Amino acid sequence: MKKFYLLLAIFMAALNLRPIITSVAPLLGTMQSELGMSGLTASLLTTFPVLCMGLFAPSATALRDRLGLERSIFTALLLITGATALRGSADSVTILVISALIGGIGISLAGPLLSGFIKKYFPTKPGIVSIYSASMTFGAAMASALSIPIYNRSNQSLTMTLSCWAILGVLGLIVWSVFLRNRANKEGSVRSRLPIRNPRAILLTLFFGLMACMFYSLTAWISPIAHSFGYSSASSAMFLTIFTIIQIPVSLLIPGLVSRFGKRRFFLVFCSVSELIGIVILLFHLPMLPAVICLGIGAGGLFPLALMLPIVETKTSEEAGSWSAMSQCGGYIIGAMGPLLIGAIFDYSGSFTVALFAMLAVIAVMIAVQLLITSHKPEIQAGSVEME
């Protein structure tokens, strides 16, 4: 029963880490027309949360040292829930930007802390990260899939559509409130430092950044890309939903396969090549569905692997949290530039062709970094929890 509740806590926390971002993407065009936003300004609603997720990630270790692991995660969920609810106050670009910043800070704290939580309660089962990544992806898919239907059923109310996801935050806070009542937090005596001089930690950070750059660029712009190819608004939004939904089973499957069979290099490169194929399909203006499927498989596998690496590279929950904080700090700062760059390129060129070539370059560099990461140690043996 205790194990079930721990898994439920991970699920509920991770479920809240993406709706504040992905609920915006299907409505970007609507918000641009209703609120008079340019493509660059609209991209900030994705860029700001991701940038905050990087800039404030190191604060997670300091907060954990002061409040304890569980209380810190509760605080992060409180910030995300409050930011989402704030969007119900007014149809305003200012409100949207402020809520994006606050929500990004909350996500920046929750991400590394959840990695430490998994290391603390499941030290020999890094594959549990699949619950983390799959529930986060599920939350993202639910928000992207239901945003337009909710918008239409709420008399086209942006405030209602964007703020209703605070309900998930309230449920998450209820689950995590049990930890506040029942668990003593003694981590405060442990001081944490980021592994800024560790070469492997630096490589993991670079990989996380390139992965996040692709992920958030696709999340923000896959629908507009489809629309520019002549698809309807409804079909364009559906492609984002398909891209996100495909990631759920993949994010559940890949970490388990890596934990059981090893071959981390194979799975990392396989997922990157899948993204590469998807971008090539888009460049040739072939049907969108195969491209979206390939991109979803790639993103669905790379993200949980990026979350898993700091857990298996470290020995304690504090160390796992510090490595995760560093990889997510640098990684999300790099990743935040992706949607912004795509928006700027589109505003300048009037098409997505140049942006797609830029994505190809990012994937090529990411594959090179993956080969460096996996060249340091031999492949792990089947069934082992150690990584090469």
Side-chain angles (χ1 to χ4, degrees):
M1 190 64 176
K2 178 181 177 182
K3 180 179 179 181
F4 171 80
Y5 199 87
L6 291 172
L7 294 176
L8 176 64
I10 295 171
F11 174 82
M12 289 305 303
L15 192 67
N16 281 279
L17 299 188
R18 291 299 178 266
I20 197 170
I21 299 175
T22 59
S23 62
V24 168
L27 297 169
L28 274 178
T30 301
M31 288 187 289
Q32 284 181 263
S33 61
E34 288 191 14
L35 303 177
M37 291 189 294
S38 68
L40 184 60
T41 303
S43 69
L44 293 178
L45 298 181
T46 298
T47 299
F48 273 172
V50 180
L51 188 60
C52 286
M53 287 154 59
L55 291 175
F56 292 94
S59 302
T61 58
L63 186 66
R64 184 201 59 214
D65 291 342
R66 177 176 294 272
L67 300 182
L69 181 58
E70 293 81 7
R71 288 193 175 95
S72 297
I73 295 175
F74 182 91
T75 302
L77 287 176
L78 190 62
L79 288 173
I80 297 169
T81 305
T84 307
L86 179 63
R87 291 183 167 178
S89 62
D91 276 331
S92 164
V93 175
T94 301
I95 291 295
L96 288 174
V97 172
I98 291 174
S99 63
L101 290 170
I102 297 174
I105 293 172
I107 297 170
S108 75
L109 300 175
L113 294 171
L114 283 173
S115 294
F117 187 85
I118 293 171
K119 186 69 175 181
K120 177 178 179 179
Y121 291 102
F122 303 95
T124 61
K125 297 180 179 179
I128 293 294
V129 77
S130 63
I131 302 296
Y132 175 2
S133 59
S135 57
M136 184 164 52
T137 305
F138 178 70
M142 187 165 52
S144 64
L146 297 180
S147 285
I148 289 182
I150 292 174
Y151 176 73
N152 292 331
R153 288 179 174 272
S154 63
N155 296 319
Q156 298 186 334
S157 170
L158 281 174
T159 55
M160 174 68 72
T161 304
L162 296 175
S163 64
C164 69
W165 302 105
I167 296 173
L168 295 178
V170 172
L171 295 176
L173 290 171
I174 292 172
V175 171
W176 280 86
S177 65
V178 172
F179 290 98
L180 301 184
R181 184 176 63 248
N182 294 340
R183 297 196 64 86
N185 292 282
K186 300 179 180 179
E187 296 92 338
S189 60
V190 180
R191 305 307 300 174
S192 305
R193 294 182 179 180
L194 299 183
I196 56 176
R197 296 183 180 179
N198 188 301
R200 290 188 65 77
I202 294 173
L203 281 175
L204 296 188
T205 300
L206 182 56
F207 164 54
F208 198 106
L210 296 169
M211 176 278 303
C213 182
M214 282 299 301
F215 178 82
Y216 288 107
S217 295
L218 292 169
T219 298
W221 291 104
I222 194 70
S223 291
I225 288 172
H227 195 265
S228 74
F229 288 174
Y231 291 92
S232 67
S233 296
S235 296
S236 299
M238 183 56 64
F239 284 129
L240 174 61
T241 302
I242 293 171
F243 167 72
T244 310
I245 289 177
I246 288 174
Q247 296 174 44
I248 299 174
V250 176
S251 62
L252 280 170
L253 181 64
I254 294 296
L257 291 176
V258 174
S259 291
R260 184 173 182 182
F261 299 112
K263 305 298 179 184
R264 179 176 60 163
R265 173 179 292 182
F266 169 80
F267 288 107
L268 283 168
V269 175
F270 169 80
C271 292
S272 296
V273 170
S274 182
E275 285 193 336
L276 191 72
I277 293 172
I279 298 299
V280 170
I281 292 174
L282 293 179
L283 277 171
F284 283 95
H285 285 227
L286 298 175
M288 282 284 297
L289 184 58
V292 170
I293 291 174
C294 289
L295 293 169
I297 291 173
L302 288 174
F303 190 73
L305 288 176
L307 295 175
M308 188 178 186
L309 298 184
I311 296 175
V312 298
E313 290 278 354
T314 54
K315 298 179 180 180
T316 67
S317 64
E318 292 79 17
E319 193 179 6
S322 296
W323 278 56
S324 296
M326 176 170 158
S327 67
Q328 293 183 32
C329 173
Y332 280 128
I333 291 174
I334 297 172
M337 298 301 104
L340 189 63
L341 180 62
I342 300 302
I345 290 175
F346 178 75
D347 283 345
Y348 178 78
S349 66
S351 76
F352 288 103
T353 301
V354 178
L356 292 173
F357 275 110
M359 290 184 187
L360 284 180
V362 170
I363 296 172
V365 175
M366 180 167 59
I367 292 174
V369 172
Q370 291 167 348
L371 295 177
L372 285 174
I373 290 173
T374 55
S375 67
H376 286 72
K377 297 179 182 180
E379 295 284 336
I380 58 176
Q381 299 297 318
S384 173
V385 298
E386 297 295 331
M387 304 290 283
E388 80 280 14

